């Protein structure tokens, strides 16, 4: 058997594709060794935020949540006394936890007064559990209150409770707050890493935090400066070079604890456990800041241990190999339908390329679904993407070896075409239309509302590559211009360019999706004149 025949043999190509998929997923799942634990044996994190959602938080939920956090932290920070959160100090005391008790302030004077009255009551009944009061959080950044009124509320709480008080806000708010630092017992600064205008890499997170705190401390004099919020999400979209992942989250927390110990400052991490409700408001990353997994309640990593960004890599790779087998099987059956000698005469290299791209990314796509889906609409949207990722590559491979071309959008609405066109041609055309519509919806979302949108590069890669390969191997016939395909190509191409520049070239997830959109744009351009062969 010559080298060329080896390269054309479907069984050998399937084996090579399967090995490639398995190797890639083994490499992706290989665990990262974390630095040496910055915590001494038996030592806990100093403090962590606890902010459950809902109009009213039950005592049972608070007890369960704090019981999960207690083995890992010595203190919890809350943000309000309302909605049942005034029960936190009592429950925390039973679990040997201290509380940085939040007092929520805003524009509503009556609500502010009710918050402060509850705080004063807590100081009387649960004094032993409360380390300090955090009177207001990001109030100045939101322009809810002027600094003078905020200072008056802080003095009111200190005078009534005789406990330490602080205020929490971003560095810029503190630097512009005038004499507010003289009102508090210590300064609490929020350091936004992932959400910053220019977010740092995970490897630079601790240095950025230390520099920010040092800058604030230098301006505010002798006041102690606590980092009141800092952390890193374990899932979600990249922002420039800032990539949420389990390994990056673990590394950032390791580095931050070590930096706080070395520079001798207090730190509160955001946040205790994943909160799915945040994802509905601000995207996938917002729901995955927790030290503890939101579903299992277990800590996401072991201090000083190993962590994998793809712990289910074996099953993801196996799923990819199975899809590659389905692609080859569909192509083989299509070739057999032509004649018994057709499989031997077919060129299986394009089929192998379709199987490789489909198999590499299907496991990634499936794993992202539960992370990115919360509402019914999001689950249905994810199901549509997975359906495209599973159905398009086999259909395109079968059409390729059978000699069918992909037609333009109008073929779906032409009764004569539907009557005489081959089923494979109709199937890939339908999948092509669906993939294009979904891609346009995703692209425009990232153009007009990018902040909370994920990059769906993984589920679209297999379909986009399969359709492009089919269009190149079996070019659509005819040259009648089609406005729909031209418009779709222009929208996808323009969106891909915008996304790449808007997200910056440091964001490889954005560049990946932009390339996929360009592939679909090119496929639309090739299909713009497609027409099923002469109808009798």
């Amino acid at each position: 058997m010559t080298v060329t025949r080896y390269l054309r043999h479907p069984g050998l190509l399937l084996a090579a594709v399967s090995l490639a998929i398995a190797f890639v997923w083994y490499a992706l799942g290989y665990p990262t060794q974390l630095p040496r634990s910055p915590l001494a044996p038996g030592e806990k994190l100093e403090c962590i935020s606890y902010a459950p959602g809902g109009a009213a938080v039950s005592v049972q939920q608070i007890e369960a949540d704090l019981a999960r956090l207690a083995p890992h932290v010595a203190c919890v920070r809350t943000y309000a006394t309302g909605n049942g959160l005034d029960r936190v100090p009592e429950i925390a005391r039973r679990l040997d936890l201290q509380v940085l008790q939040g007092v929520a302030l805003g524009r509503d004077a009556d609500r502010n007064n009710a918050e402060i009255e509850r705080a004063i009551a807590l100081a009387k009944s649960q004094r032993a559990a409360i380390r300090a009061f955090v009177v207001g959080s990001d109030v100045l950044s939101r322009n809810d209150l002027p600094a003078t009124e905020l200072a008056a509320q802080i003095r009111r709480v200190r005078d009534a409770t005789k406990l330490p008080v602080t205020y929490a806000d971003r560095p810029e708010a503190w630097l512009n707050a005038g004499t507010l630092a003289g009102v508090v017992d210590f300064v609490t600064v929020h350091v936004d890493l992932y959400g910053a205008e220019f977010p740092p890499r995970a490897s630079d997170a601790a240095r950025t935090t230390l520099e920010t705190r040092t800058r604030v401390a230098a301006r505010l004099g002798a006041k102690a400066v606590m980092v009141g919020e800092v952390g890193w999400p374990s899932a979600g979209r990249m922002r420039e070079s800032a990539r949420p992942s389990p390994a990056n989250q673990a590394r950032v927390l390791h580095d931050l604890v070590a930096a706080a110990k070395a520079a001798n400052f207090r730190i509160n991490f955001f946040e205790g456990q994943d909160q799915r409700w945040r994802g509905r408001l601000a995207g996938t990353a917002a729901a995955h800041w927790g030290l503890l997994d939101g579903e299992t309640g277990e800590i996401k990593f072991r201090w000083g241990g190993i962590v994998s960004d793809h712990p289910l890599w074996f099953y993801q790779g196996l799923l990819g190999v199975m899809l590659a087998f389905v692609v080859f099987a569909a192509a083989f059956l299509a070739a057999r339908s032509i004649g018994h000698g057709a499989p031997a005469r077919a060129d299986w290299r394009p089929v192998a390329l379709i199987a490789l791209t489909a198999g590499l990314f299907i496991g990634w796509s499936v794993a992202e679904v539960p992370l990115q889906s919360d509402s019914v609409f999001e689950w249905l949207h994810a199901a549509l993407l997975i359906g495209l990722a599973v159905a398009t590559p086999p259909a395109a491979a079968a059409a390729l070896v059978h000699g069918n071309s992909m037609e333009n959008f109008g073929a779906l609405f032409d009764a004569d075409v539907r009557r005489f066109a081959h089923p494979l041609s109709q199937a890939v055309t339908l999948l092509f239309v669906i993939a294009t519509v979904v891609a346009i919806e995703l692209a425009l979302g990232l153009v007009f509302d990018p902040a909370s949108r994920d990059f769906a590069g993984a589920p679209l890669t297999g379909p986009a590559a399969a359709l492009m390969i089919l269009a190149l191997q079996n070019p659509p016939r005819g040259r009648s211009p089609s406005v729909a395909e031209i418009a779709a190509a222009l929208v996808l191409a323009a969106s891909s360019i915008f996304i790449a520049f808007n997200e910056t070239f440091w964001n490889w997830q954005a560049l990946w999706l932009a390339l996929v959109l360009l592939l679909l744009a090119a496929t639309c351009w090739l299909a713009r004149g497609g027409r099923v062969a002469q109808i009798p």
Side-chain angles (χ1 to χ4, degrees):
M1 185 178 287
T2 64
V3 174
T4 303
R5 290 190 63 189
Y6 274 119
L7 293 175
R8 291 175 178 269
H9 193 279
L12 294 176
L13 285 172
L14 175 58
V17 166
S18 300
L19 286 174
I21 294 170
F23 176 78
V24 168
W25 275 106
Y26 172 78
L28 288 173
Y30 198 80
T32 299
Q33 176 64 54
L34 297 174
R36 182 178 178 180
S37 175
L39 299 175
E43 185 181 6
K44 301 178 182 181
L45 288 178
E46 181 179 2
C47 204
I48 205 160
S49 292
Y50 175 62
V57 186
S58 68
V59 171
Q60 293 77 15
Q61 180 182 345
I62 296 173
E63 289 176 339
D65 291 342
L66 295 189
R68 286 191 287 265
L69 288 170
H72 308 288
V73 301
C75 159
V76 293
R77 175 191 169 182
T78 63
Y79 292 80
T81 63
N83 298 334
L85 292 175
D86 56 342
R87 303 297 298 273
V88 170
E90 175 191 353
I91 298 168
R93 180 174 50 82
R94 297 202 302 264
L95 294 168
D96 198 25
L97 288 169
Q98 287 193 302
V99 180
L100 280 176
Q101 179 60 56
V103 180
L105 297 181
R107 299 185 181 185
D108 189 317
D110 291 337
R111 289 187 178 182
N112 291 347
N113 187 64
E115 274 283 308
I116 291 174
E117 290 298 325
R118 283 191 294 266
I120 294 171
L122 282 174
K124 295 177 180 178
S125 63
Q126 302 297 330
R127 189 178 191 86
I130 298 175
R131 178 183 293 181
F133 283 100
V134 184
V135 185
S137 181
D138 295 327
V139 174
L140 298 180
S141 292
R142 296 192 306 265
N143 293 316
D144 285 347
L145 294 174
T148 53
E149 185 174 345
L150 174 61
Q153 302 286 31
I154 293 171
R155 290 191 187 96
R156 177 185 172 189
V157 173
R158 180 202 282 117
D159 293 344
T161 66
K162 302 299 189 287
L163 284 170
V165 295
T166 185
Y167 166 69
D169 211 326
R170 301 177 182 184
E172 296 76 15
W174 275 111
L175 297 177
N176 297 322
T179 60
L180 186 64
V183 179
V184 298
D185 294 293
F186 60 95
V187 171
T188 300
V189 62
H190 292 167
V191 181
D192 196 355
L193 297 170
Y194 170 77
E197 183 178 1
F198 301 104
R201 296 176 183 271
S203 57
D204 296 327
R207 178 177 58 81
T208 300
T209 302
L210 187 59
E211 290 174 351
T212 302
R213 180 196 171 274
T214 301
R215 177 164 54 92
V216 173
R219 285 281 300 274
L220 298 183
K223 289 287 183 179
V225 178
M226 174 183 181
V227 176
E229 270 187 8
V230 68
W232 199 268
S234 61
R237 52 158 285 169
M238 285 182 69
R239 295 193 68 250
E240 297 190 12
S241 58
R243 181 172 68 91
S245 74
N248 279 345
Q249 183 188 51
R251 180 60 187 265
V252 168
L253 266 60
H254 273 72
D255 292 348
L256 286 171
V257 173
K261 286 192 168 189
N264 193 29
F265 64 87
R266 293 161 62 192
I267 191 168
N268 173 77
F269 288 100
F270 186 85
E271 65 183 318
Q273 59 187 16
D274 290 344
Q275 301 287 347
R276 294 302 295 260
W277 64 271
R278 296 188 194 278
R280 294 191 292 270
L281 302 176
T284 301
H288 294 91
W289 287 80
L291 175 71
L292 307 184
D293 183 273
E295 300 297 328
T296 66
E298 300 293 327
I299 191 168
K300 293 179 182 177
F301 58 86
R302 181 171 57 86
W303 296 96
I306 58 175
V307 61
S308 172
D309 285 342
H310 301 279
L312 300 177
W313 65 269
F314 178 83
Y315 301 101
Q316 291 172 284
L318 180 61
L319 187 60
V321 171
M322 293 170 60
L323 181 57
F325 178 85
V326 171
V327 169
F328 270 88
F332 185 83
L333 292 175
R336 282 288 300 270
S337 69
I338 301 174
H340 289 293
R345 296 191 302 270
D347 185 357
W348 290 90
R349 290 171 296 182
V351 175
L353 186 56
I354 292 175
L356 180 63
T357 54
L360 281 176
F361 300 110
I362 186 62
W364 196 316
S365 305
V366 171
E368 291 292 305
V369 170
L371 296 177
Q372 299 176 357
S373 305
D374 189 48
S375 66
V376 173
F377 173 78
E378 288 172 338
W379 279 101
L380 292 175
H381 192 271
L384 177 60
L385 284 170
I386 296 299
L388 282 171
V390 171
T392 307
L400 189 151
V401 299
H402 197 269
N404 299 109
S405 62
M406 182 175 57
E407 311 306 336
N408 63 25
F409 295 172
L412 292 178
F413 307 101
D414 190 318
D416 290 332
V417 170
R418 293 199 305 270
R419 181 178 178 185
F420 293 102
H422 192 278
L424 279 175
S425 180
Q426 295 185 59
V428 293
T429 301
L430 176 61
L431 291 168
F432 170 46
V433 172
I434 296 174
T436 302
V437 172
V438 170
I440 290 175
E441 178 263 327
L442 291 170
L444 293 179
L446 285 165
V447 169
F448 294 104
D449 182 29
S452 61
R453 301 278 182 152
D454 292 302
F455 300 113
L460 280 178
T461 298
L467 293 169
M468 184 64 177
I469 292 168
L470 175 61
L472 290 173
Q473 291 292 311
N474 296 349
R477 294 176 286 273
R479 283 293 180 265
S480 56
S482 172
V483 175
E485 284 79 10
I486 294 173
L490 293 176
V491 170
L492 290 171
S495 297
S496 69
I497 295 170
F498 176 86
I499 291 168
F501 280 96
N502 187 56
E503 301 291 344
T504 77
F505 291 102
W506 295 107
N507 190 331
W508 59 261
Q509 291 180 353
L511 295 180
W512 174 10
L513 178 60
L515 178 59
V516 172
L517 296 178
L518 281 177
L519 278 178
L520 277 172
T523 305
C524 288
W525 191 261
L526 289 173
R528 71 190 189 280
R531 177 72 173 175
V532 173
Q534 190 67 36
I535 299 172

